[in-house]
Amino acid sequence: MEQKRVFSGMRPTGRLQLGNLLGALENWVKLQDEYKCIFSVADWHAMTTSYDDPSELKENTMQMVIDWLSAGLDPEKSIIFCQSDVKEHAELHLLFSMFTPLSWLERVPTYKDQIQQLREKNLATYGFLGYPLLQAADILLYRADAVPVGEDQVPHVEMTREIARRFNYLYQTDFFPEPQALLTKIKLLPGIDGRKMSKSYGNTIEMSDSPQEIAKKVNQMVTDPGRIRKTDPGNPEVCTVFAFHQVFNPEGVEGVERACRRGEIGCVQCKKQLIKHLNAYLEPIYEKRKVLEGQRDYIIDLLREGAKQAKEIAVNTMEQVFALVGFKL
Ligand code: TRP
Ligand code: SF4
């Protein structure tokens, strides 16, 4: 039996945050051993919101791919490439646009939300409306069986299934499989100020932060504001440091909780422990990144080679699609 195929992508928006590592990347790394994996830098998707200033996309792509490799994505195992290097994505997207009712796109829940959230940009564009359709083209171009994504992307995978069904119905075929979303359980991490982690709040931890930066950020983390002296009993459930202990110090977290509630540990010491655990986890990634940063040519070559491999599959799909549609002589 042929190995099942996994496809996923990320928009190149800069260095990845800790949440991207835990929520998606770690999962991708594991999937590499079980599936034929294809991972794409979704630069066309980034263009839907950065069309007014795409100049950063190049460097963002470089940084994101370095993050991917530092976390353990392996070009020997998986196909890693840039969406815009394989023109068939645009071609299949265009074909899909012929038969996709506008109402399907308008009712995608992320659509109106995003327009609201990014009000400073004009997203009342044709391209932004087509965002989920482009994603459907990404996935179906490789006839992927599974798509590892976070909860927020589920409507897009659902749309992909509808597009596959519509194509199969219109052209009386079963060519496109309906892909499954592989949901990643997200261990939710707050930002260092306790609010939602977000670039716009300036409270993020990047997966590429140095051990010194990690220490500095942990030391800035907000703790239980009710604790003045270190002998005051604390409430770990309102503490950001504790939220991180839960994820990065699973063995010690019970001890931390007990000591905090009994006022037997000071926040300074508690943070010190967290720094140790966080760095044990991130330092190997950081070290790998340092090496890769000096190997930009290698990254460029790897993306070129990935595009070649992706293209082989993509061209084959498009030949069959054109034959099914009966479009060309
Ligand atoms: N829309 C996805 C996101 O913002 C990125 C993406 C683009 C993607 N193409 C994809 C995800 C194909 C899965 C499959 O996270
Ligand atoms: Fe938070 Fe630790 Fe201080 Fe308790 S002891 S409030 S868990 S930093």
Side-chain angles (χ1 to χ4, degrees), residues 28-251:
W28 290 13
V29 171
K30 278 193 218 123
L31 290 168
Q32 294 185 110
D33 296 316
E34 221 179 302
Y35 295 90
K36 176 78 225 170
C37 289
I38 306 171
F39 298 119
S40 177
V41 177
D43 49 1
W44 273 123
H45 277 102
M47 268 299 257
T48 63
T49 52
S50 304
Y51 60 83
D52 55 346
D53 182 16
S55 59
E56 282 180 3
L57 289 182
K58 230 182 181 174
E59 186 56 22
N60 285 349
T61 295
M62 179 60 78
Q63 294 305 330
M64 188 169 78
V65 174
I66 291 177
D67 277 340
W68 285 5
L69 300 182
S70 317
L73 284 200
D74 182 353
E76 299 289 321
K77 295 180 184 164
S78 303
I79 299 179
I80 298 171
F81 76 106
C82 267
Q83 185 188 31
S84 64
D85 284 339
V86 178
K87 311 255 185 273
E88 284 71 17
H89 288 256
E91 203 174 25
L92 189 57
H93 175 219
L94 183 59
L95 173 64
F96 286 168
S97 76
M98 303 302 160
F99 63 65
T100 304
L102 276 177
S103 59
W104 289 16
L105 296 167
E106 284 161 349
R107 71 164 191 237
V108 172
T110 45
Y111 178 59
K112 289 202 175 92
D113 274 10
Q114 288 274 42
I115 288 185
Q116 279 294 315
Q117 269 179 33
L118 301 172
R119 227 168 301 148
E120 73 282 3
K121 307 203 173 185
N122 178 7
L123 293 183
T125 58
Y126 177 54
F128 190 70
L129 180 67
Y131 185 109
L133 199 56
L134 180 58
Q135 190 163 341
D138 291 348
I139 297 165
L140 295 176
L141 192 52
Y142 303 95
R143 283 186 282 162
D145 303 287
V147 187
V149 282
E151 197 84 57
D152 62 312
Q153 296 293 311
V154 168
H156 295 167
V157 178
E158 189 45 48
M159 158 84 62
T160 304
R161 296 163 62 85
E162 284 177 280
I163 297 292
R165 278 199 291 273
R166 184 146 171 91
F167 180 96
N168 289 347
Y169 166 77
L170 284 169
Y171 308 111
Q172 291 169 28
T173 173
D174 55 8
F175 181 68
F176 283 124
E178 289 184 34
Q180 300 287 336
L182 290 181
L183 272 189
T184 348
K185 275 185 253 96
I186 315 178
K187 304 162 212 159
L188 217 56
L189 285 174
I192 61 172
D193 59 359
R195 292 189 288 176
K196 181 178 174 265
M197 197 185 282
S198 158
K199 249 192 236 168
S200 52
Y201 293 153
N203 64 359
T204 60
I205 297 182
E206 269 72 49
M207 59 172 277
S208 51
D209 281 345
S210 69
Q212 294 75 18
E213 283 164 316
I214 294 293
K216 193 169 142 215
K217 287 182 179 178
V218 171
N219 285 325
Q220 289 169 351
M221 278 183 188
V222 295
T223 60
D224 173 2
R227 275 193 107 195
I228 317 276
R229 278 169 302 262
K230 66 181 180 190
T231 49
D232 293 343
N235 285 317
E237 62 276 4
V238 302
C239 174
T240 310
V241 177
F242 187 71
F244 279 75
H245 270 294
Q246 285 179 309
V247 175
F248 294 99
N249 180 17
E251 297 208 324

